[in-house]
Amino acid sequence: MSLDIDLPTPTAFPAFPFSPPYEIQVELMRHLYTSIEQKKVTIVESPTGTGKTLSLLCASLTWLRDEKNRAKKGKLRAITRDDADARDWVIEQTRERVRREMEADEQEYEARLAEAKKREDLLKKMCRARVVKKIKRDTQTLIPTEDENDLQFLPENESRDDDEEMNISPALRALMDKVEKVSRPGYGLESESTCTKIYYASRTHSQLSQVLPELQRLKLYPNMISQYSTDKTAINSTNKRPLDESESHGGADFNTRTVALGSRKQLCINDELRDRSRDLDEGCRELLGEKEHKRCQYLPLGCDEKMFDLRDQILATPKDIEDLAAAGRRAQLCPYFGARRAIPQAQLVTLPYNLLLQRTAREALGIDLTDQIVIIDEAHNLIPTLLSLSTTRLPQSILLTSFMQVCTYVSKFRNRLGPANILHLKRLVVFLDALKKYVLEWKESRIGKSISERKEMPDIIEKTEVITPAQLIERLGRKVSGINLLEIEKYLKTSKVGRKISGYCDKEAEKHGDFSRRPRRGEIPPLSIVEAFLVSLTGATDDGRITLTLTGTPGNETVELKFQLLNPSPPFKEVVDVARSVILAGGTMSPMSDVASQLFSYLPPERLSTFSCGHIIPADNLQTLIISKSPRGNDLEYKAGKQSDVNVIADLGQILLNLVNLVPSGMIVFFPSYNFLNLAKAVWSKSGLLDKFGVKKKTFFEPTETTDVDKVLQEYSTAIYDTRMSPDKVRRGALLLAVIGAKLSEGLNFADDLARAVVIVGLPFPNLGSPELKERMQYVKRSEESKGTKRAPSQKDAAAELYENMCMNAVNQSIGRAIRHRSDWASLILLDRRYASSSIRNKLPKWIGNGVSITDGFGQAVKSLATFYRNKKQSLQS
């Protein structure tokens, strides 16, 4: 195959469902196509309402089609090169034969998927007729002897120890493994062909659920080409055949082979397991490790042929997570493992962040990102997600339990374990013992020697300490320093001894009637948590920190160890290094320089590109005001120290009361913190200001519980609709008081009358008292200094930039709630004089453009707002 044929960037995208697309959509799709072809990493900002998801899919799938055509042409060209000395007619015959074979293979594959779809349709009919029988588990139980019972708790690699004793060489063992693999039921039934694919990731399944409807809008069908074809006689884009109705919705006879990956929580159809498992992942692993009659009935041994059929049903028509689970229930086969089987032959794979970004998850799913396209949507969440996924916690209680369980296990099985297992387990005991002693000593040093000392001087107790992994190893003593922790971590992973140890200890606890120590099925083994901590510890460099925290009430203190990564780049570098192209897309990616510096500082400039869309709305549909003065003429500055000032809160209340009288329909006010919102609520309730708000707009507050979000939003929406339909002209709309970075500031659609004004109160700077934040800021400052980067005297250093960027990322997400489509209109009101500074203003979303007005006084702001809403009212009436 030859890939030396460059794909020209299309000037038009026939697959795009709306004709003509907006100019910014064409520019975005051209940028994406070029970035994929040139193997670049690109950061894209496309505000809500500009068709971001549709543009991402259209550009990437268009490239995928052109790449497939290029591959075919490369294969045909290779024939000419390989048979350079052959006669022309021989070459042409060979090319024609190869072309027919490729077409036949494609037709055969499409026919197979069509048959799978027919079988799926039949299953749907049977389910509606209720003729599908539920699988019954084999309740036959064999009562094992005590020795047989104990054998199940030996490490899975115990046979390897036997190999050493029998002098079986590694080469012979590899050959035996190969023979064993081939002899397994179902092996070799069908070769797993693979293809170039697009991995489309977002933070949540609800965000991913929006991808499938957009995919079905695209006019993708077999003869679609953009600017490239495999054949000189191919139909060009200006003469393509007319679309029928089915093709205009994605094609009745063709679809993009799509698979949605999810967790067991979304896809497990074993209701019995779901009911009794504390951790579904662990419960599933336990079931799959059982003997045949106890194994999960939805993934029995020897079900490869049925699983291949489920795979084809998954690929035959695009399915979201709910559709996938339903398909598994109809087929009585596990949809979680069915989706995994579909990955190699899929063209589009949708998956949540954690499955893409964690190496262990990619390995478990068999995801190989080499030369693939990776699209990360809602990428403003990427950096905090990377840092969160790399954080591991080890509570003192888990550490003590793990130490006790390993000691019990070694004592019981010391005569049955091979030398290698004994050696690794003894090293593990040494490590756990040293860590346990250090944690207890650290706790005692923090809480004092007696309760009376703690009561007399409670303020002297330092409850947190941050150290490096190297410092921790050093404090554990010379015995631990001499142990290769990488070997222990590898041993725990390959032998799966953590589950064996936990299983044995649980059995013993049950046997002795100690039900308090007996967990429910599926509880994560304590040693698995230790293993996760070890993985972090062994992979850490200067980028990692360990925080020891004292928690609990006096007299019941406990310690938690937490590993955190200070640099989000290394885990993502694993993705960037192997993928063909990586696209980070979001509605508000500003400031892009922050994303580039934190994630891609190692990339050469020519491999990194950025693109920021303007908004599709007319310029007069958005008014952005920075208000620096209160009605009394005081400077507005809502720093943390001023947020508890009753006078400041009273001034803010007067500002909002003025705005409530001006803004029609819905108005959303974002506070920098829950504390500030709750304090303001208490002050305004006491002064009667909340009642005055209620005269004009029914007032709602950000709920404390996630389960109440839908209820509050529904009531807020209903209040706006009711006042719009009511003859009462006094009350107009509703007021929603929310918190930046909380439940209502991201991913929700406040279109049209739901938000005719979005007010941002202050700047939500993170808490500088956080030890973790202090460490991150110190780290980025040291990193910049080590690189010799010079900044102008007036410029902030890297730590201050990080601090400011974290704040503005949160602000920009809240700002994004305002405008949701082309005809939408709203005011964006920033209450704090600090927004007027150029460094802050330049970090606002680019689509706001030059439309930011800094008002001289509050009166001018009120006048500007009144004019804006009067003009909008007149334009609507006309």
Side-chain angles (χ1 to χ4, degrees):
M1 184 186 301
S2 175
L3 296 179
D4 59 353
I5 312 165
D6 292 331
L7 296 178
T9 302
T11 55
F13 290 83
F16 200 76
F18 304 111
S19 182
Y22 299 127
E23 185 179 345
I24 59 170
Q25 292 173 329
V26 175
E27 291 174 1
L28 173 58
M29 288 188 286
R30 283 175 54 81
H31 174 83
L32 293 168
Y33 189 102
T34 303
S35 297
I36 295 171
E37 174 61 16
Q38 296 179 359
K39 302 184 178 182
K40 288 188 176 184
V41 173
T42 187
I43 305 169
V44 170
E45 183 176 65
S46 178
T48 302
T50 55
K52 170 171 57 73
T53 303
L54 203 56
S55 299
L56 288 168
L57 290 172
C58 184
S60 56
L61 288 170
T62 298
W63 180 89
L64 199 63
R65 287 298 173 82
D66 293 348
E67 161 63 14
K68 183 178 179 181
N69 290 334
R70 171 168 60 180
K72 290 179 183 177
K73 192 166 187 176
K75 189 171 183 179
L76 295 175
R77 278 192 176 184
I79 296 169
T80 308
R81 286 200 304 268
D82 294 342
D83 297 327
D85 297 330
R87 293 180 181 273
D88 290 346
W89 67 270
V90 175
I91 293 174
E92 190 55 41
Q93 272 197 347
T94 306
R95 285 165 60 97
E96 186 60 32
R97 176 179 56 78
V98 171
R99 184 185 291 111
R100 285 198 302 270
E101 287 174 355
M102 288 191 291
E103 289 176 357
D105 288 343
E106 288 184 7
Q107 290 170 0
E108 182 183 349
Y109 185 72
E110 292 299 326
R112 196 180 83 197
L113 293 187
E115 285 299 316
K117 187 177 185 307
K118 289 180 181 177
R119 289 192 295 273
E120 182 182 16
D121 292 340
L122 180 61
L123 280 174
K124 287 180 181 178
K125 290 179 181 178
M126 293 171 67
C127 281
R128 285 194 290 268
R130 298 182 181 179
V131 296
V132 176
K133 295 181 180 179
K134 189 174 181 178
I135 296 176
K136 293 184 178 180
R137 289 196 58 165
D138 183 1
T139 55
Q140 177 185 2
T141 50
L142 303 174
I143 303 174
T145 64
E146 187 170 348
D147 281 347
E148 289 174 334
N149 223 338
D150 286 346
L151 284 175
Q152 66 179 306
F153 299 118
L154 290 176
E156 292 193 4
N157 66 344
E158 183 61 31
S159 61
R160 296 298 187 266
D161 289 339
D162 296 338
D163 291 349
E164 292 171 13
E165 293 174 8
M166 296 167 60
N167 296 318
I168 295 178
S169 69
L172 181 56
R173 167 49 62 186
L175 180 62
M176 292 167 66
D177 286 342
K178 188 174 181 181
V179 172
E180 182 183 349
K181 183 180 179 182
V182 172
S183 64
R184 281 205 302 265
Y187 179 82
L189 283 177
E190 186 174 339
S191 60
E192 290 283 327
S193 59
T194 61
C195 63
T196 304
K197 56 181 70 17
I198 299 161
Y199 287 93
Y200 194 110
S202 195
R203 190 168 62 93
T204 64
H205 283 289
S206 61
Q207 290 166 341
L208 287 170
S209 66
Q210 300 168 16
V211 174
L212 190 56
E214 298 296 275
L215 174 67
Q216 292 170 333
R217 286 183 172 191
L218 295 177
K219 300 174 183 177
L220 293 167
Y221 47 90
N223 289 342
M224 186 211 79
I225 48 180
S226 56
Q227 295 279 313
Y228 193 83
S229 71
T230 63
D231 198 310
K232 291 181 181 178
T233 61
I235 303 171
N236 63 40
S237 58
T238 58
N239 296 315
K240 62 182 183 293
R241 62 190 174 87
L243 298 180
D244 61 31
E245 184 179 350
S246 65
E247 290 171 335
S248 68
H249 294 280
D253 300 320
F254 180 81
N255 70 83
T256 300
R257 297 193 300 275
T258 305
V259 60
L261 299 183
S263 64
R264 288 176 173 88
K265 186 177 180 181
Q266 277 88 31
L267 292 174
C268 179
I269 58 173
N270 188 330
D271 296 327
E272 183 185 352
L273 179 65
R274 296 180 73 96
D275 291 340
R276 61 195 175 108
S277 290
R278 187 169 298 179
D279 183 274
L280 204 55
D281 289 317
E282 195 58 39
C284 177
R285 293 188 191 103
E286 287 179 9
L287 262 190
L288 295 180
E290 296 282 7
K291 294 180 180 179
E292 188 170 350
H293 65 282
K294 291 184 178 180
R295 189 179 167 91
C296 178
Q297 64 267 40
Y298 298 105
L299 197 68
L301 292 172
C303 66
D304 288 48
E305 288 190 32
K306 292 180 180 178
M307 191 58 78
F308 283 135
D309 186 49
L310 176 60
R311 176 203 62 188
D312 288 346
Q313 290 180 32
I314 292 169
L315 294 173
T317 52
K319 295 174 174 61
D320 60 21
I321 289 294
E322 288 74 19
D323 296 333
L324 192 55
R329 286 190 182 277
R330 287 192 297 269
Q332 299 284 283
L333 283 170
C334 177
Y336 175 78
F337 284 97
R340 286 171 59 166
R341 286 289 182 94
I343 293 173
Q345 296 174 14
Q347 295 167 308
L348 175 65
V349 180
T350 65
L351 68 172
Y353 279 175
N354 61 310
L355 298 185
L356 175 75
L357 300 176
Q358 289 183 299
R359 186 199 312 152
T360 52
R362 294 197 301 271
E363 290 173 350
L365 291 168
I367 291 175
D368 182 5
L369 297 178
T370 305
D371 293 328
Q372 309 297 330
I373 303 156
V374 174
I375 298 176
I376 298 181
D377 202 357
E378 304 298 331
H380 58 272
N381 289 305
L382 181 58
I383 290 173
T385 300
L386 286 165
L387 294 172
S388 174
L389 290 174
S390 62
T391 298
T392 54
R393 288 177 165 82
L394 179 59
Q396 177 187 336
S397 59
I398 295 293
L399 175 61
L400 297 179
T401 302
S402 297
F403 176 70
M404 179 201 69
Q405 287 189 347
V406 176
C407 290
T408 302
Y409 183 84
V410 171
S411 175
K412 168 68 178 179
F413 292 98
R414 69 168 64 248
N415 295 325
R416 296 192 187 187
L417 295 169
N421 278 305
I422 283 290
L423 180 62
H424 286 306
L425 288 171
K426 283 185 175 179
R427 287 173 177 169
L428 179 59
V429 168
V430 170
F431 170 75
L432 291 174
D433 188 33
L435 187 58
K436 171 182 71 89
K437 288 176 179 176
Y438 171 70
V439 166
L440 293 175
E441 288 170 3
W442 186 88
K443 181 172 78 170
E444 289 303 316
S445 70
R446 288 298 183 275
I447 64 177
K449 295 182 179 179
S450 67
I451 297 176
S452 60
E453 288 177 357
R454 292 202 305 273
K455 288 181 178 178
E456 290 170 8
M457 297 178 292
D459 296 335
I460 68 168
I461 301 176
E462 286 289 336
K463 294 190 174 183
T464 302
E465 183 181 7
V466 182
I467 59 176
T468 65
Q471 287 174 318
L472 176 64
I473 298 300
E474 184 182 349
R475 294 182 186 185
L476 295 184
R478 281 185 292 178
K479 284 186 177 180
V480 172
S481 299
I483 295 175
N484 187 338
L485 296 180
L486 274 170
E487 287 187 2
I488 294 181
E489 183 261 312
K490 182 181 178 182
Y491 167 73
L492 289 172
K493 182 179 179 181
T494 55
S495 67
K496 300 178 182 176
V497 74
R499 294 190 187 96
K500 306 287 186 177
I501 291 173
S502 181
Y504 172 74
C505 292
D506 294 343
K507 188 202 78 168
E508 289 297 297
E510 183 179 354
K511 190 192 328 186
H512 293 95
D514 188 358
F515 292 100
S516 63
R517 285 170 47 199
R518 181 192 173 197
R520 289 175 59 190
R521 171 179 282 276
E523 187 173 69
I524 299 175
L527 209 54
S528 293
I529 299 172
V530 172
E531 182 184 342
F533 187 76
L534 262 176
V535 169
S536 300
L537 205 58
T538 54
T541 56
D542 186 46
D543 297 345
R545 292 293 182 274
I546 293 166
T547 305
L548 292 97
T549 306
L550 189 68
T551 61
T553 57
N556 295 298
E557 294 91 345
T558 186
V559 178
E560 181 187 68
L561 293 94
K562 180 174 74 172
F563 173 88
Q564 69 166 136
L565 204 58
L566 304 177
N567 181 7
S569 181
F572 196 55
K573 188 174 184 292
E574 297 175 4
V575 173
V576 174
D577 283 349
V578 298
R580 177 191 179 94
S581 179
V582 176
I583 298 165
L584 306 188
T588 48
M589 294 298 294
S590 299
M592 290 189 185
S593 57
D594 178 54
V595 180
S597 64
Q598 289 202 60
L599 292 179
F600 308 121
S601 60
Y602 59 90
L603 280 181
E606 61 271 14
R607 202 185 165 209
L608 181 64
S609 65
T610 60
F611 184 91
S612 183
C613 284
H615 217 301
I616 56 175
I617 61 168
D620 60 359
N621 275 20
L622 176 65
Q623 180 188 49
T624 306
L625 297 179
I626 295 174
I627 302 179
S628 304
K629 300 281 187 181
S630 73
R632 298 178 183 178
N634 299 325
D635 285 339
L636 295 182
E637 190 175 71
Y638 298 103
K639 289 184 175 179
K642 295 183 179 181
Q643 291 175 11
S644 57
D645 188 322
V646 176
N647 293 325
V648 170
I649 294 174
D651 262 2
L652 175 60
Q654 288 301 317
I655 292 171
L656 296 183
L657 184 59
N658 278 278
L659 297 179
V660 161
N661 285 306
L662 278 171
V663 177
S665 300
M667 172 173 152
I668 304 175
V669 181
F670 285 105
F671 284 73
S673 68
Y674 274 108
N675 285 339
F676 193 10
L677 172 59
N678 291 333
L679 189 55
K681 181 180 178 181
V683 171
W684 296 338
S685 180
K686 187 176 180 181
S687 67
L689 204 54
L690 280 183
D691 294 332
K692 292 181 180 179
F693 291 164
V695 171
K696 286 290 185 181
K697 295 184 187 295
K698 188 172 182 180
T699 306
F700 298 88
F701 294 89
E702 171 118 19
T704 54
E705 299 295 330
T706 304
T707 51
D708 295 331
V709 169
D710 288 341
K711 178 185 176 185
V712 170
L713 291 176
Q714 183 60 50
E715 291 176 355
Y716 172 73
S717 176
T718 302
I720 292 171
Y721 179 79
D722 288 347
T723 56
R724 193 171 57 203
M725 304 302 292
S726 170
D728 179 12
K729 299 299 181 183
V730 177
R731 176 177 276 190
R732 300 183 306 165
L735 172 66
L736 178 59
L737 304 178
V739 178
I740 296 173
K743 305 169 190 67
L744 302 179
S745 66
E746 182 184 339
L748 296 175
N749 188 355
F750 291 102
D752 301 319
D753 282 348
L754 293 180
R756 290 307 182 194
V758 171
V759 183
I760 310 291
V761 179
L763 287 156
F765 283 104
N767 179 14
L768 266 178
S770 162
E772 290 89 351
L773 178 58
K774 285 181 181 178
E775 286 294 325
R776 268 199 83 194
M777 292 175 67
Q778 290 171 11
Y779 172 79
V780 296
K781 188 174 182 179
R782 284 197 309 272
S783 297
E784 185 180 61
E785 290 170 352
S786 67
K787 294 172 186 174
T789 306
K790 300 291 184 182
R791 288 179 180 258
S794 59
Q795 276 188 306
K796 298 181 177 71
D797 62 24
E801 277 291 324
L802 173 68
Y803 188 58
E804 194 173 88
N805 289 337
M806 292 172 72
C807 166
M808 291 309 296
N809 284 334
V811 168
N812 290 342
Q813 286 312 301
S814 299
I815 285 174
R817 303 309 96 208
I819 302 292
R820 309 302 287 182
H821 58 83
R822 180 176 175 80
S823 302
D824 207 354
W825 53 272
S827 287
L828 174 59
I829 303 164
L830 308 175
L831 297 180
D832 199 304
R833 70 182 186 87
R834 290 172 290 175
Y835 281 109
S837 70
S838 58
S839 65
I840 295 291
R841 205 165 63 248
N842 290 338
K843 290 173 182 175
L844 290 170
K846 301 300 180 190
W847 49 266
I848 290 179
N850 299 319
V852 180
S853 299
I854 304 172
T855 57
D856 293 331
F858 188 74
Q860 182 190 350
V862 170
K863 186 178 179 181
S864 296
L865 285 167
T867 302
F868 175 78
Y869 290 119
R870 184 170 58 250
N871 290 341
K872 284 298 159 193
K873 184 178 180 180
Q874 290 172 355
S875 65
L876 289 172
Q877 289 174 346
S878 62

